[in-house]
Amino acid sequence: MSVAKEFEAANAKYAASFTKGDLQLPPQRKTAVVACMDARLDPARALGLEEGDVHVIRNAGGRATDALRSVIISQQLLGTREIVIVHHTNCGMLTFTDEDLKDKIRADLHQNADHIAFLAFKDVEQSVRDDIKILKDSPLVLDVPITGYVYEVETGKIVRVEEN
Amino acid sequence: MSVAKEFEAANAKYAASFTKGDLQLPPQRKTAVVACMDARLDPARALGLEEGDVHVIRNAGGRATDALRSVIISQQLLGTREIVIVHHTNCGMLTFTDEDLKDKIRADLHQNADHIAFLAFKDVEQSVRDDIKILKDSPLVLDVPITGYVYEVETGKIVRVEEN
């Protein structure tokens, strides 16, 4: 069975007891979370989110550059006024370099991916600091509170990253 | 109190009963979900996901173009072999055009955002079909099953979008 079919079965149960059909489009808690796509991180459970609360933007690494389009839409059209960045320990982005991946794509897929910045990193606290700075420095992002965390996949804890 | 501080309080409770510290990096169910960042959609609850199961990539609209970097990393480095796309009814992306948003940014922020494709759309079933096609046509994406759904924010149901 495809995983999609399993999702359909799980969703039938969710929908059967669904009571949140009148939530508004703009996020209730006026916040955008930018987090890694990692399977072990569930932002809703780990941060106490209910449906309707916040935008959740996720990509490989939880990188700000890749989230910029979504952050702009979140702020300009849907009124969010706080940003929380969540990267995590044991991230896949720590295990390769952009050049490694481009070489693999050349070898395995016979394709050139030199036009893509894969945004790998070597230090997860520094990647959080870098991403806070990218958002703070962007003239397209409003001057709002931005807080960064490292989620520990080993403990379930978020640890705040102090800016340098 | 900032929302970040509220997240810290909620996370302390989550971490206190955390028992999943030995999950592996590659997603157990070998799937990447590409979904909208909308606050009303919780992919974990709506699709029956546990920590460790799948990659969850989210952006404004759940657009494939914006998810491409993450999908490549997910497949090439972390072994996922199925993709599920989830857009939804009453999406913010249905409420504006790229030109509207660029005009607003020019007026409110005095900035030029002409270099950004905001990827707004007019029809949510068609946006799912378009994004399936983008991934299927990309030489950088493996030939894997791709299934697309519209999540109904009114009912909690996912409805499969048939390809044309």
Side-chain angles (χ1 to χ4, degrees), chain A residues 16-85:
Chain A
S17 61
F18 186 76
T19 59
K20 297 175 175 172
D22 57 357
L23 293 171
Q24 299 302 300
L25 172 53
Q28 189 90 16
R29 296 170 76 184
K30 297 186 187 303
T31 298
V33 173
V34 178
C36 184
M37 70 178 178
D38 192 278
R40 295 163 295 179
L41 170 62
D42 180 339
R45 290 183 185 129
L47 305 177
L49 309 177
E50 294 298 323
E51 290 93 332
D53 276 356
V54 308
H55 283 146
V56 182
I57 302 159
R58 301 183 66 180
N59 62 52
R63 303 311 313 258
T65 307
D66 213 19
L68 191 62
R69 176 186 72 91
S70 298
V71 168
I72 295 168
I73 290 170
S74 178
Q75 294 187 332
Q76 293 298 317
L77 299 174
L78 295 160
T80 63
R81 291 296 180 267
E82 182 167 344
I83 300 172
V84 172
I85 296 176

Side-chain angles (χ1 to χ4, degrees), chain A residues 2-8 10-11 14-15 18 20-21 23-25 27 29 31 33 36-42 44-61 63 66 68-70 72-74 76-78 82 84 90-93 95-96 101 104-105 108-109 111-113 115-119 139-142 147 149 151-158 160, chain B residues 2-8 10-11 14-15 18 20-21 23-25 27 29 31 33 36-42 44-61 63 66 68-70 72-74 76-78 82 84 90-93 95-96 101 104-105 108-109 111-113 115-119 139-142 147 149 151-158 160:
Chain A
S2 71
V3 173
K5 283 285 175 204
E6 296 171 0
F7 288 172
E8 290 177 19
N11 177 256
Y14 176 76
F18 186 76
K20 297 175 175 172
L23 293 171
Q24 299 302 300
L25 172 53
R29 296 170 76 184
T31 298
V33 173
C36 184
M37 70 178 178
D38 192 278
R40 295 163 295 179
L41 170 62
D42 180 339
R45 290 183 185 129
L47 305 177
L49 309 177
E50 294 298 323
E51 290 93 332
D53 276 356
V54 308
H55 283 146
V56 182
I57 302 159
R58 301 183 66 180
N59 62 52
R63 303 311 313 258
D66 213 19
L68 191 62
R69 176 186 72 91
S70 298
I72 295 168
I73 290 170
S74 178
Q76 293 298 317
L77 299 174
L78 295 160
E82 182 167 344
V84 172
N90 193 234
C91 185
M93 303 299 283
T95 65
F96 69 97
L101 181 50
K104 183 176 194 307
I105 289 169
D108 293 356
L109 303 183
Q111 296 292 331
N112 184 318
H115 59 294
I116 301 181
F118 285 105
L119 307 173
L140 297 169
V141 175
L142 298 174
T147 312
Y149 296 94
Y151 173 78
E152 298 179 344
V153 296
E154 302 82 5
T155 66
K157 288 183 189 162
I158 54 169
R160 184 197 286 249
Chain B
S2 72
V3 173
K5 284 283 175 206
E6 296 171 2
F7 288 172
E8 291 177 19
N11 177 256
Y14 176 75
F18 185 76
K20 296 175 176 171
L23 293 171
Q24 299 303 301
L25 172 53
R29 295 169 77 184
T31 298
V33 173
C36 185
M37 69 178 179
D38 193 278
R40 295 164 295 180
L41 170 61
D42 180 339
R45 289 183 185 128
L47 304 178
L49 309 177
E50 294 298 323
E51 291 92 333
D53 276 357
V54 308
H55 282 146
V56 183
I57 301 160
R58 301 183 66 179
N59 62 52
R63 302 314 311 262
D66 214 19
L68 191 62
R69 176 185 71 91
S70 299
I72 294 168
I73 291 170
S74 177
Q76 293 298 317
L77 300 175
L78 295 160
E82 182 166 346
V84 171
N90 193 234
C91 186
M93 303 298 284
T95 66
F96 70 98
L101 181 49
K104 183 175 192 307
I105 289 169
D108 295 356
L109 303 182
Q111 295 292 331
N112 184 318
H115 59 294
I116 301 180
F118 285 106
L119 307 173
L140 297 169
V141 175
L142 298 174
T147 313
Y149 296 94
Y151 173 79
E152 298 179 344
V153 296
E154 302 82 4
T155 66
K157 288 182 190 164
I158 53 169
R160 185 197 287 250

